[in-house]
Amino acid sequence: MTIQQEVHDLLTALDVPDDAFSSGPLAVTSPITGEIIAHIRVAEDPEQTINAAHRAFLAWRSVPAPRRGELVRQLGEELRSERDKLGRLVTLEAGKILSEGLGEVQEMVDICTFAAGLSRQLAGLTLPSERPDHRMMETWHPLGVTGVISAFNFPVAVWSWNAALALICGNSVVWKPSEKTPLTALATQAIFERAAAKVGGTPANLSSLLLGEKTAGQALVDSPLVPLVSATGSTAMGRAVAPRLAQRFARPILELGGNNAAIVCPSADLDLTLRAVAFAAMGTAGQRCTTLRRLIVHESVYDSLLPRLAKVFSSVSIGDPRDSGTLVGPLIDRRAFDGMQAALQAVRSAGAILHGGERVDVPGCAEAFYVKPALVEVKEQFEVVRHETFAPILYVLRYREFEQAIALHNGVAQGLSSSIFTSDMREAERFISVTGSDCGIANVNIGTSGAEIGGAFGGEKETGGGRESGSDAWKQYMRRATNTINYGTELPLAQGVVFNVD
């Protein structure tokens, strides 16, 4: 069976109408073979979609939050029942290995479970008043249409992080998926509509899609009916989006570039470190925002760790992500491959020692781009090292003093994720302290992943400062009101102000 036929069968089984992916100007290719697997229609009138979402919000905001949570709970159940189909579709369209495709859908299920419980806990504070017979409190209210712009590498999970929270907070959602991965978005929308039908009372257009190129996303960014836009992508994209949102005082949640590093200390468990670094650097073919891109190794363990790491990099199984033995699938497209080769050429010219990085020939996939992960020994953080290349490249540096390691770690513009491998409590505690890692995620003795939905996900500096998923990230999807209630018969003013009138 061809990939095109398999995609067709999966979409049909997931209740996506045939005409939604069989005709249209936007060609969709699979990175597995490079072949065209569908043609989709693009949004002709984004403003109409946004207006419909605003009308849905006006109805949904008055639905009690626990009832809104029931819709999200049902969405999680539908996703759970279709995990195998949607996970495989993620693999076919985004090129992830099967376990990662399935894991991404599980992440959607998990955030729905989290959000359903959270729908009964959208609590504000009760605050002491300085005035007698007065009470102050905070209340939280739905915000409006939530715009979601997602990237190809997590084609469905990022939507769920935002949508599950936005929906239980009383908002509607308009989703502009990556033009590289619109089919999984069509399937997810169909699953959402199935959940909405089962719950009942859900306004039409509560969740909707804007398919197409970047102009569709620009409509979300510029619309006065969209008070919040969550955008995931490159730092360059963030630089374009943020000023436009600021111009109309809209809220941004920006999840942008990551140039993540790990420090390997003298006391590190090297067996554990090796396993953690391998997945962090090579998982998803290096196309995660949390991919490990820099490894800062103490000189006392450098010569022990590097040969072992080079062996793993050279022997990792590369190929069709549908095969059970594959660990590294394809890059998304030629542009990603060219970017990787340009970065490797730049560090090679600077005198770096390269292991791997070459293109791999996979039978039947001549138009696709498979590569060996690259392990690159560098003497310093060259300019190219300080920039994120969205590919499986791991730069390795030596350090002597811990302060030097921290300086190297923080010496880049991005601030998403980080980790340290050590058995020394002082080093671990210092790393996660205010004088340690400057990233939004700081891990100890695990890789740079931020996969568990219970914690807020996001980073600092050029990563954008946004937070999604767990903890109190829900507050970004609501507006806060401070209320003061006078239950007495007098009218004292705050701060002792006196203003008496007859």
Side-chain angles (χ1 to χ4, degrees):
M1 181 187 300
T2 64
I3 292 180
Q4 184 178 23
Q5 184 60 53
E6 187 174 2
V7 166
H8 180 280
D9 292 350
L10 285 170
L11 289 170
T12 301
L14 291 166
D15 300 324
V16 179
D18 184 79
D19 61 354
F21 58 89
S22 61
S23 62
L26 183 58
V28 183
T29 62
S30 171
I32 297 175
T33 61
E35 68 186 279
I36 294 175
I37 53 175
H39 290 84
I40 65 166
R41 298 192 301 269
V42 299
E44 296 181 357
D45 191 349
E47 185 176 343
Q48 183 179 39
T49 300
I50 294 169
N51 286 335
H54 179 66
R55 290 192 295 271
F57 159 69
L58 295 178
W60 188 241
R61 65 182 177 177
S62 296
V63 174
R67 183 66 180 169
R68 301 193 297 248
E70 175 58 20
L71 170 62
V72 175
R73 187 198 68 80
Q74 186 61 48
L75 173 60
E77 291 302 307
E78 296 297 324
L79 287 165
R80 191 189 306 275
S81 69
E82 300 292 12
R83 178 174 175 264
D84 290 348
K85 295 187 186 72
L86 185 56
R88 189 166 184 88
L89 188 59
V90 168
T91 289
L92 295 173
E93 187 177 37
K96 292 187 171 186
I97 62 174
L98 276 173
S99 67
E100 290 190 51
L102 295 171
E104 182 164 347
V105 181
Q106 185 60 49
E107 202 166 332
M108 301 174 79
V109 174
D110 292 344
I111 191 63
C112 287
T113 302
F114 175 87
L118 185 64
S119 68
R120 295 179 180 270
Q121 300 176 23
L122 302 176
L125 299 173
T126 297
L127 304 164
S129 173
E130 68 182 71
R131 291 169 285 187
D133 299 332
H134 282 59
R135 178 167 64 90
M136 281 199 303
M137 66 178 186
E138 291 180 348
T139 50
W140 293 85
H141 301 292
L143 185 63
V145 179
T146 297
V148 179
I149 301 173
S150 61
F152 77 87
N153 59 325
F154 279 88
V156 289
V158 167
W159 172 82
S160 71
W161 293 353
N162 289 278
L165 296 185
L167 290 168
I168 62 110
C169 288
N171 304 325
S172 57
V173 180
V174 179
W175 180 16
K176 194 283 177 188
S178 169
E179 60 272 21
K180 298 177 183 180
T181 51
L183 303 179
T184 44
L186 284 168
T188 299
Q189 178 66 20
I191 292 170
F192 173 84
E193 290 171 0
R194 189 192 306 167
K198 288 186 177 181
V199 171
T202 303
N205 305 302
L206 185 61
S207 173
S208 51
L209 293 177
L210 282 180
L211 301 177
E213 304 285 350
K214 67 178 182 179
T215 52
Q218 288 171 351
L220 277 178
V221 170
D222 294 337
S223 173
L225 294 179
V226 184
L228 170 65
V229 175
S230 175
T232 301
S234 67
T235 298
M237 182 272 284
R239 292 191 195 283
V241 166
R244 296 173 77 143
L245 291 173
Q247 190 171 23
R248 61 182 184 86
F249 301 103
R251 296 185 190 178
I253 299 177
L254 299 177
E255 299 291 355
L256 309 176
N259 192 356
N260 315 296
I263 298 172
V264 183
C265 299
S267 63
D269 179 334
L270 294 188
D271 291 335
L272 181 149
T273 301
L274 186 68
R275 295 195 304 273
V277 168
F279 174 72
M282 295 186 287
T284 324
Q287 297 171 118
R288 286 174 174 250
C289 53
T290 55
T291 291
L292 179 61
R293 308 206 180 277
R294 297 174 296 132
L295 191 65
I296 303 164
V297 184
H298 192 268
E299 60 183 12
S300 67
V301 295
Y302 189 98
D303 292 336
S304 298
L305 179 62
L306 259 291
R308 297 177 65 187
L309 197 55
K311 182 178 179 181
V312 170
F313 267 60
S314 65
S315 62
V316 68
S317 54
I318 303 164
D320 191 320
R322 295 171 294 177
D323 296 341
S324 60
T326 297
L327 293 179
V328 177
L331 296 176
I332 189 67
D333 55 21
R334 173 177 284 279
R335 182 178 178 183
F337 174 77
D338 289 345
M340 178 179 182
Q341 297 309 307
L344 293 178
Q345 181 55 44
V347 289
R348 184 184 290 111
S349 299
I353 302 173
L354 269 65
H355 310 270
E358 62 270 21
R359 190 171 180 180
V360 175
D361 182 23
V362 174
C365 303
E367 300 301 315
F369 295 91
Y370 294 82
V371 293
K372 277 197 172 185
L375 188 66
V376 184
E377 299 181 65
V378 292
K379 294 180 180 179
E380 59 183 277
Q381 287 196 145
F382 303 118
E383 183 68 18
V384 68
V385 179
R386 292 195 294 271
H387 292 271
E388 179 186 40
T389 301
F390 219 59
I393 303 175
L394 179 61
Y395 300 109
V396 189
L397 302 103
R398 295 177 187 257
Y399 82 92
R400 176 171 295 176
E401 302 295 335
F402 193 65
E403 292 298 329
Q404 178 193 10
I406 294 292
L408 285 169
H409 177 281
N410 294 345
V412 296
Q414 308 84 0
L416 177 54
S417 188
S418 60
S419 68
I420 188 170
F421 294 92
T422 181
S423 297
D424 186 323
M425 183 187 71
R426 290 191 178 96
E427 289 175 333
E429 291 290 339
R430 167 68 191 285
F431 184 74
I432 63 174
S433 77
V434 67
T435 59
S437 168
D438 63 0
C439 295
I441 299 169
N443 296 331
V444 178
N445 291 329
I446 65 171
T448 47
S449 173
E452 291 193 48
I453 58 88
F457 179 88
E460 301 299 326
K461 302 192 295 188
E462 287 190 1
T463 301
R467 292 298 185 274
E468 296 170 328
S469 194
S471 186
D472 64 349
W474 63 271
K475 292 180 178 180
Q476 297 169 107
Y477 302 84
M478 305 194 83
R479 60 179 179 86
R480 183 198 322 237
T482 299
N483 316 122
T484 303
I485 301 167
N486 179 1
Y487 55 89
T489 58
E490 301 297 326
L491 191 65
L493 300 178
Q495 290 86 47
V497 174
V498 177
F499 194 83
N500 293 323
V501 295
D502 294 330

